[in-house]
Amino acid sequence: MEVTSQPAAFEPRDFHSGLMSCCDDMGVCCCGFFCLPCLGCSIASEMNECCLCGLGMPIRSVYRTKYNIPGSMCNDWMVAYCCLGCAACQMKRDIKIRKSNGTLKA
């Protein structure tokens, strides 16, 4: 099979919402507060990953790399270690926005 086009790269861009912007989507915020493992599983399934991969530094690094979001693995670790719930909510909000504007890659 011949490759005729390469996938388009995303322009460098931050997350669509801030780490502490939980009130931007109260549904995601409540899910993250009351059932963080469920939110993690939802994130992983949106990214076609194992449900156990939905929280923490590795999935955040994969997501950042996939969408060319600036940052580092060290930063991902610090965010996941210090603010796991906020980090998961931020990723889920970003996924919802990318889904709505048609830029979510499977």
Side-chain angles (χ1 to χ4, degrees), residues 10-85:
F10 289 93
E11 292 294 319
R13 184 192 192 308
D14 272 335
F15 283 95
H16 286 91
S17 64
L19 184 63
M20 302 296 179
S21 300
C22 286
C23 293
D24 288 358
D25 188 329
M26 289 306 292
V28 169
C29 181
C30 288
C31 184
F33 183 76
F34 292 110
C35 192
L36 189 57
C38 296
L39 184 61
C41 194
S42 171
I43 290 167
S45 70
E46 297 277 2
M47 294 179 62
N48 292 327
E49 297 287 342
C50 169
C51 196
L52 299 174
C53 300
L55 294 171
M57 184 273 288
I59 196 85
R60 186 175 176 87
S61 293
V62 167
Y63 189 81
R64 264 192 331 89
T65 302
K66 186 184 271 190
Y67 294 106
N68 203 13
I69 297 171
S72 67
M73 290 181 74
C74 182
N75 182 289
D76 293 336
W77 185 86
M78 288 299 296
V79 167
Y81 182 77
C82 297
C83 308
L84 183 59

